[in-house]
Amino acid sequence: MAGDTPVGRLADEPVDHRFKALPPDAETAHLTVGSLAAERRNLFTGGFTTPVLALSAESVEHNLALLETYSERHGLAFAPHGKTSMSPQLFARQLAHGAWGITAAVPHQARVYRAYGIQRIFLANEVVDPAALRWLAHELDADPDFRFICYVDSVRGVELMDEALRGASRPLDVVVELGAGDGARTGARTEADCAAVADAVAAAGTLRLVGVAGYEGEVPQADGDRVRAWLRRLTALAADFDKAGRFGGTDEIVVSAGGSAWFDAVADVFAEIPELSLPVLKLLRSGAYVSHDDGHYRHLTPFNRIPDEGRLQPAFRLWAQVVSRPSPEQAFVNAGKRDAAYDLDLPEAQVVRDARTGEIRTAEGITVSGLSDQHGWVRTTPEADLEVGDWVGMGLSHPCTSFDKWQLIPLVEADGTVTDYIRTFF
């Protein structure tokens, strides 16, 4: 709905050719996103064109509530990774469900967050771009309530940050990133390397050391034992830094980890953090939970190991139409690489909506075997009931690359009613 906030004003955007699958008559009628949402059209009969990506309203709400209660139960603060959805509307709902702030990966994402009023940003990367750092300095100067934290993982990086930030009115908060092991991604590789980076921060008047962080998803040959061993190195580093008096300029110590595959291990190990000289902000950063998926994260989610704590629900379904049925063993739908995530797994055919009757049935004997740019290749067995014009509903794998193919995504209730449209900014 329209409103006086930046997020609210997204509803004032006109519905037009920029947005895939939205009803063409909505543009003819000069509708806004908000007025189209108010019409509560049906996804199947309301004039939407195929392919169309739908986001389940019920599953999104379930997932938001589940991670809120999980974090509270385990004494964790939560800064979900916004790069998953890049959706200010979903950020607002995550914050309403208790999130401390939103995590970013690159400065552009942080700029989007600030444009939509995000007051706490954790950037899980070292920022060495002088233009981005000057922008950050301006944001910190202009808004005393804005909190920003980012990684540092090298002495050279600290030097570049210090040079670009000179003249800022307050220091930039940083956490030393501990790498997850040899051959892993970013991060200082040893505790001695981390101490050298912390020393460089202490010598730079533009930075303030507030904690330690890392990403356990990069632990080589990750399993529960290896991940927990690395997490204990991270928490021991925080304790050692505290004992050495390295956090003297802050009022809390930030310890952060937690992707979407091992947050149960993070909760276990963070619960072991001993009492330090200051309160500890135990910051979890999982992001894929908001939509979950029908592939990669369905297999990886920690809730498979801790079913008593709940279960996430996949929220995406991509609907495409059968446009060719050249043989009894083959069909083609009108959704391909431009519409569906395919970097981890192919889409999974789940249901068919009959073009003649509107009945929805299970997609028996129907398998997506490949994707072209604008076509999905479908293999069918003799029991498959499929003809040209039918809609095929597919589950997707990898939320991040599902969101970034769609600028405006219908939020759909179980009966097909579209209640809102989720805007993304990639």
Side-chain angles (χ1 to χ4, degrees):
M1 65 182 68
D4 293 331
T5 67
V7 172
R9 287 192 289 273
L10 287 171
D12 298 330
E13 222 173 347
V15 175
D16 57 27
H17 60 276
R18 293 171 297 162
F19 305 123
K20 295 191 291 186
L22 297 197
D25 68 287
E27 180 174 8
T28 305
H30 306 292
L31 297 183
T32 64
V33 171
S35 57
L36 179 60
E39 292 187 357
R40 296 179 62 85
R41 297 195 186 192
N42 186 277
L43 186 73
F44 306 110
T45 61
F48 293 85
T49 63
T50 56
V52 57
L53 182 65
L55 194 60
S56 163
E58 293 89 351
S59 294
V60 167
E61 178 59 31
H62 169 85
N63 294 343
L64 289 168
L66 180 58
L67 260 291
E68 178 183 18
T69 57
Y70 180 86
S71 299
E72 290 175 349
R73 187 181 305 125
H74 292 280
L76 300 169
F78 190 31
H81 211 317
K83 58 98 175 172
T84 298
S85 71
M86 287 305 295
S87 170
Q89 292 152 286
L90 293 179
F91 299 162
R93 292 183 64 179
Q94 288 170 315
L95 292 168
H97 278 275
W100 171 92
I102 306 293
T103 295
V106 292
H108 159 71
Q109 294 168 357
R111 290 184 62 201
V112 173
Y113 299 3
R114 288 299 287 161
Y116 288 92
I118 302 301
Q119 286 293 89
R120 291 173 175 166
I121 298 173
F122 184 100
L123 198 149
N125 233 331
E126 186 169 71
V127 182
V128 295
D129 181 333
L133 289 163
R134 287 193 295 270
W135 170 80
L136 271 173
H138 177 268
E139 291 293 301
L140 291 166
D141 288 349
D143 184 355
D145 294 325
F146 173 41
R147 179 89 192 272
F148 182 91
I149 304 171
C150 74
Y151 283 177
V152 286
D153 82 343
S154 65
V155 172
R156 175 59 177 156
V158 170
E159 292 172 351
L160 291 168
M161 296 173 78
D162 183 50
E163 182 179 334
L165 290 168
R166 286 173 190 165
S169 63
R170 58 188 172 114
L172 180 68
D173 288 347
V174 296
V175 290
V176 173
E177 183 193 5
L178 174 66
D182 292 338
R185 209 160 63 187
T186 55
R189 291 300 193 250
T190 68
E191 282 75 3
D193 292 338
C194 289
V197 175
D199 288 340
V201 171
T206 60
L207 303 176
R208 180 174 70 159
L209 184 66
V210 298
V212 299
Y215 176 48
E216 76 292 338
E218 281 290 311
V219 170
Q221 301 175 315
D223 61 20
D225 290 340
R226 290 186 178 93
V227 167
R228 284 175 172 81
W230 177 82
L231 287 164
R232 290 188 176 100
R233 283 183 60 199
L234 181 69
T235 57
L237 182 66
D240 289 346
F241 277 11
D242 183 48
K243 185 177 180 180
R246 294 185 183 277
F247 301 126
T250 184
D251 56 4
E252 67 180 0
I253 298 168
V254 178
V255 182
S256 180
S260 295
W262 293 104
F263 56 73
D264 58 333
V266 173
D268 291 345
V269 175
F270 280 14
E272 301 169 358
I273 295 175
E275 185 174 349
L276 303 181
S277 66
L278 295 166
V280 178
L281 181 72
K282 303 172 183 179
L283 195 61
L284 184 68
R285 305 194 306 270
S286 310
Y289 81 99
V290 68
S291 66
H292 197 44
D293 75 1
D294 279 297
H296 185 68
Y297 287 103
R298 178 178 64 191
H299 300 302
L300 287 184
T301 176
F303 287 117
N304 292 338
R305 297 185 292 270
I306 49 172
D308 290 346
E309 300 248 28
R311 184 167 294 278
L312 292 169
Q313 298 176 0
F316 275 131
R317 179 164 281 172
L318 177 65
W319 289 95
Q321 207 163 12
V322 179
V323 294
S324 182
R325 190 78 162 97
S327 76
E329 298 81 27
Q330 195 172 37
F332 291 88
V333 296
N334 61 347
K337 293 179 180 178
R338 302 300 178 92
D339 313 296
Y342 61 93
D343 54 324
L344 295 178
D345 301 290
L346 289 172
E348 176 185 87
Q350 296 177 330
V351 295
V352 175
R353 185 178 189 274
D354 193 292
R356 299 177 187 272
T357 67
E359 175 194 0
I360 294 179
R361 58 181 178 270
T362 303
E364 295 290 342
I366 300 170
T367 304
V368 179
S369 59
L371 296 176
S372 300
D373 273 1
Q374 306 288 179
H375 290 89
W377 294 60
V378 176
R379 301 299 301 176
T380 56
T381 57
E383 70 268 24
D385 182 7
L386 193 67
E387 67 175 347
V388 170
D390 289 345
W391 288 37
V392 179
M394 295 172 282
L396 301 176
S397 181
H398 199 181
C400 303
T401 47
S402 298
F403 275 108
D404 74 8
K405 293 179 180 295
W406 294 81
Q407 294 185 66
L408 203 61
I409 304 170
L411 188 69
V412 185
E413 293 182 341
D415 66 356
T417 302
V418 179
T419 61
D420 202 355
Y421 297 85
I422 302 301
R423 186 73 156 92
T424 67
F425 292 87
F426 286 93

